[in-house]
Amino acid sequence: MSSTTELAELHDLIGNLRRCVTSLASRYGNSPATRRIVNDAERILNDIDRLDIDAEELELARGVSGHQHVGERIAIPDTQYDREFWRGVDDEGLGGTR
């Protein structure tokens, strides 16, 4: 959901769902089936609220990471380094010095 229009449409649909569930609950009373429907609708409403928060976070993340700099690639050779390059460096538990 990247568009505020899509989110607005979703909120309209959820509003319709809420009205339908309220109508069903008033028509059929407090039965187990009605309670399940009411609970499911509430869960969906909570998920939509979370979706709003997630959409805001995604928009912020896209704004921050959307401008990634593509730099030049630097080749790293597979050849061994000169032993003098590593003089005085501890192996930090990698099996001792060479």
Side-chain angles (χ1 to χ4, degrees):
M1 295 282 160
S2 61
S3 169
T4 55
T5 304
E6 291 168 324
L7 288 173
E9 182 181 354
L10 185 59
H11 280 282
D12 289 342
L13 293 169
I14 294 301
N16 290 338
L17 174 65
R18 179 180 281 151
R19 284 187 288 283
C20 289
V21 168
T22 301
S23 177
L24 287 171
S26 66
R27 182 174 184 181
Y28 294 105
N30 191 19
S31 68
T34 304
R35 284 193 302 272
R36 279 193 302 273
I37 292 170
V38 169
N39 288 338
D40 289 345
E42 287 301 317
R43 182 182 46 78
I44 291 170
L45 293 170
N46 289 335
D47 289 344
I48 297 305
D49 289 341
R50 181 64 214 175
L51 179 63
D52 285 338
I53 294 168
D54 291 343
E56 289 174 15
E57 290 175 4
L58 288 173
E59 290 297 323
L60 288 174
R62 184 170 43 169
V64 171
S65 64
H67 302 289
Q68 294 178 354
H69 175 69
V70 179
E72 69 176 286
R73 293 184 179 208
I74 300 173
I76 301 175
D78 290 335
T79 57
Q80 293 291 325
Y81 287 104
D82 182 19
R83 287 187 171 270
E84 290 299 312
F85 179 81
W86 298 107
R87 183 177 297 274
V89 176
D90 292 333
D91 286 333
E92 299 181 10
L94 296 176
T97 59
R98 290 183 163 192

